[in-house]
Amino acid sequence: MTQLSQFRRGAAVLASVGLLCGVLGSGTATAASPSHAPRVGDSGHGHGAYKGRIIARTGLVVRTGPGTEHPAMTTLPYGEVITLVCKVNGQNIHGNPRWYKLDWRRDAFASARYIEPIGAAPEWCRDKGD
């Protein structure tokens, strides 16, 4: 084996390692910064793709505002994974005053008491109609 072929082999290995590090590095950066990830139905508010799983055994009631005084819109089934836009304080439900704004329609809220975040919890809403 000549010195030139050893050099080429070493250069190929280094190039492969660099490519692999670049791919893994960009995947890690994206996962570490969920607020910069695009999400389906993004309304341009710069929120990330926050997810949550419904843990209410009888289903989760989606309302037009963060409290049971707001009209119910629908009920989502236990175990369904939903997209969370942001969080607000609202009516206290069994010791938890947090409500999540859902990426479902403009004014869709559900009690955080019955949603288990997958990964990071969403940021605070800028206002109720965020």
Side-chain angles (χ1 to χ4, degrees), residues 39-107:
R39 67 177 172 81
V40 176
D42 192 351
S43 57
H45 293 295
H47 295 290
Y50 299 103
K51 299 288 183 183
R53 184 178 319 279
I54 297 172
I55 60 172
R57 294 282 179 192
T58 58
L60 178 69
V61 177
V62 177
R63 299 184 174 275
T64 60
T68 58
E69 73 276 8
H70 296 278
M73 300 164 71
T74 191
T75 301
L76 300 175
Y78 170 81
E80 184 170 324
V81 174
I82 56 177
T83 300
L84 312 173
V85 176
C86 56
K87 63 186 172 187
V88 298
N89 279 327
Q91 179 184 359
N92 189 314
I93 304 295
H94 300 290
N96 190 337
R98 306 282 188 273
W99 286 68
Y100 292 128
K101 183 174 186 308
L102 308 182
D103 186 25
W104 189 63
R105 66 175 251 207
R106 181 163 191 217
D107 291 320

